[in-house]
Amino acid sequence: MKRLFLAAAILSLGAAPALAGDPAAGEAAFNQCQTCHVVANEEGEVLAGRAGRQGPNLYGIIGRTAGTVEGFRYQASLVQAGEEGLVWDEENLVPYLLNPQDFLRETLDDRRARSGMTHRVRNEDMARDLVAFLAQFGEAPAAEDGGDDEEAAAD
Ligand code: HEC
């Protein structure tokens, strides 16, 4: 009972800093992504990774609608998720990175949904570190406004 209460207390903290990842650790962990992904800005300047093109550019991933990098050939499920309103944020990227296929199946409520990304991050801490690292690259870094955005947890 006590443990349950503690879990609820932790959950209610939401996106509190205690749960935020470490961008430096994320940079090291990005090694496993760069065979397939780069982070390159609008000018084409490569900010992370090298020449990975099997996956979409991850520049500005936080706040971006899923499956919308122009010219990239996504699988249908990810495009559909974006069309249904999936916008990447610090929270939903974590389960996606842990298991893209399960994430899409749950998000779309479709057991046959498929992910074009088969890679899975080993554990949640590493996923959070990666998200913290990727959050550094983009137009408008997400503003910290006290974190009372309840709707992000829906579904
Ligand atoms: C073997 C290649 C490969 C590796 C390794 C890989 N990815 Fe991917 N990733 C892809 C592909 C392909 C897609 C497009 C998925 C689809 O179409 O369903 C993708 C999609 C994504 C998306 C969604 C992008 C969007 O535009 O909606 C994110 C975020 C992402 N990857 C992050 C990562 C991170 C972080 C890592 C390292 C932990 C990683 N990926 C490792 C191939 C890879």
Side-chain angles (χ1 to χ4, degrees), residues 32-33 36-37 54 56 64 66-67 74-75 88 96 116-117 121:
Q32 67 192 289
C33 320
C36 298
H37 293 280
Q54 199 180 317
R64 192 165 91 192
Y74 291 96
Q75 294 295 308
W88 295 124
Y96 178 77
M117 173 161 132
V121 172

Side-chain angles (χ1 to χ4, degrees), residues 47-89:
L47 307 174
R50 284 192 271 280
R53 287 286 184 274
Q54 199 180 317
N57 182 2
L58 295 178
Y59 182 77
I61 189 72
I62 306 289
R64 192 165 91 192
T65 299
T68 55
V69 167
E70 227 171 285
F72 185 81
R73 293 168 64 98
Y74 291 96
Q75 294 295 308
S77 298
L78 189 60
V79 173
Q80 187 190 341
E83 283 167 358
E84 291 183 9
L86 176 65
V87 174
W88 295 124
D89 62 30

Side-chain angles (χ1 to χ4, degrees), residues 27 30 34 37-51 53 57-61 133-139:
E27 179 170 16
F30 192 71
Q34 63 185 8
H37 293 280
V38 285
V39 179
N41 64 18
E42 281 94 351
E43 287 79 48
E45 194 185 338
V46 174
L47 307 174
R50 284 192 271 280
R53 287 286 184 274
N57 182 2
L58 295 178
Y59 182 77
I61 189 72
F133 173 64
L134 291 171
Q136 298 175 312
F137 307 104
E139 283 303 285

